[in-house]
Amino acid sequence: MDLSRVEKTIQGFIESLNNVSVNEMYKKLPKGKMLRARLIKMIALDSALGDKVAAIIEMIHLSSLLHDDVIDEAATRRGEPSINALYSSKHAVMLGDIFYSKAFYELSSMDEKVAKSISSAVTKLSIGELMDVELANSFNEDAELYYEMIYLKTASLIEATAHCAAIISDKNEDDYKIFGKNLGIAYQIIDDILDVTQDEKTLGKPAFSDFKEGKTTLPFIIMHERVDEKDKKYLKSLFKKELAQDEIAWIKDKLNSTDAIKFSKQKAKELAIEASLKAKNNKELLSLIDGMINRSY
Ligand code: FPP
Ligand code: MG
């Protein structure tokens, strides 16, 4: 898929700011999968308006990752040093603010429905990130809280992306919102599975870091539900710890023997099927869903 026009639009937004540091830091950001821009193109087809909406959403996404890496104290992003590691947390916070406010400036001259959909999603994703931080204070055993948090943190912006693509191309808005919401929740579940199944080289960031950061993701919640009291206690004793190899091996063994990974993957697949039902006439979207579920990083 040709995303060069979206990239050029983002580049244009950045250059119009006329700031050497911003330009320099932007060039150091590794390119991601641009899932949100792809969705716009697949749903709304090629149009200048689609490029602009995609550029705005990708800039908001970039700003949220810049802030997230400060919050998570992440040294790498997509296999490259993060901006907080390369420059400082202050730089990452401010660059995030610059991207975020520029994106909102551009959004302010768009159709009101598009502006409202995206801006309310950004409030949701910020509340989701706060919830993620707060849930990490203690071992979260509640799957419902996890689903709510990942909907807010990740799926809300994907839901808004699909919604806006439907608005600008006169397609069924409710169908595409449901599509985006399910795709987004499935996406984050897969992300959380990969953290415990893949190695650092494949992921482009340290593996097995969620649990150490206090993030009791779906595989951990399910494993916890399914083990006996003694193992529950042991699992909780490892919470937020720098894990030794034998401790990681114990967790991996339990994640497999309780079918916690299998259950989580199944859950993501069910959500992907829900998403597919709303996108059944769009071959590109169906293959994107398939690729998302079966990805390795
Ligand atoms: C990545 O999650 C983080 C998000 C999807 C959302 C982050 C949102 C904010 C920081 C709110 C601020 C928003 C703006 C627009 C300034 P993760 O840590 O689970 O994934 P990772 O492993 O890729 O870091
Ligand atoms: Mg993070």
Side-chain angles (χ1 to χ4, degrees), residues 44-251:
L45 307 177
D46 272 331
S47 70
L49 185 58
D51 289 338
K52 191 169 173 190
V53 176
I56 288 170
I57 294 175
E58 286 293 340
M59 270 185 86
I60 291 172
H61 176 58
L62 275 176
S63 73
S64 77
L65 295 182
L66 285 161
H67 286 189
D68 180 67
D69 284 342
V70 173
I71 293 168
D72 288 347
E73 296 173 25
T76 55
R77 166 70 58 190
R78 296 162 180 162
E80 304 285 339
S82 58
I83 293 291
N84 43 311
L86 269 182
Y87 294 83
S88 70
S89 289
K90 292 180 187 178
H91 283 82
V93 169
M94 293 322 303
L95 189 64
D97 286 347
I98 293 162
F99 284 5
Y100 168 64
S101 50
K102 175 62 179 168
F104 266 63
Y105 172 78
E106 297 296 334
L107 187 61
S108 68
S109 60
M110 304 216 66
D111 171 89
E112 193 180 329
K113 243 158 107 180
V114 169
K116 283 192 166 159
S117 178
I118 296 177
S119 51
S120 68
V122 177
T123 312
K124 282 185 183 164
L125 77 99
S126 303
I127 293 173
E129 183 82 351
L130 177 64
M131 210 177 154
D132 196 16
V133 168
E134 290 181 344
L135 282 177
N137 286 336
S138 60
F139 189 106
N140 172 42
E141 300 175 14
D142 187 341
E144 288 313 312
L145 280 178
Y146 166 83
Y147 290 129
E148 188 191 340
M149 181 275 287
I150 64 170
Y151 161 62
L152 293 168
K153 178 180 80 163
T154 305
S156 61
L157 190 59
I158 298 176
E159 176 184 47
T161 303
H163 182 209
C164 290
I167 296 172
I168 63 171
S169 59
D170 257 336
K171 297 209 163 78
N172 188 304
E173 292 177 31
D174 286 338
D175 275 359
Y176 280 98
K177 270 166 86 170
I178 296 170
F179 159 81
K181 180 175 180 173
N182 286 312
L183 177 75
I185 299 174
Y187 181 89
Q188 188 61 47
I189 294 176
I190 295 291
D191 224 55
D192 293 343
I193 294 172
L194 294 174
D195 180 80
V196 291
T197 57
Q198 301 300 109
D199 59 21
E200 175 162 359
K201 204 161 161 268
T202 317
L203 288 176
K205 59 185 177 189
F208 231 89
S209 54
D210 285 344
F211 195 56
K212 197 180 72 192
E213 287 170 18
K215 297 183 182 185
T216 317
T217 56
L218 190 59
F220 288 92
I221 296 172
I222 301 303
M223 188 246 268
H224 176 263
E225 264 173 28
R226 295 181 175 182
V227 291
D228 63 20
E229 287 305 320
K230 188 172 131 273
D231 285 350
K232 280 194 205 317
K233 222 172 144 191
Y234 181 60
L235 176 63
K236 283 186 171 170
S237 78
L238 300 178
F239 181 67
K240 267 187 163 169
K241 256 188 59 183
E242 194 67 56
L243 298 172
Q245 281 311 314
D246 61 325
E247 293 166 335
I248 292 182
W250 183 87
I251 295 177

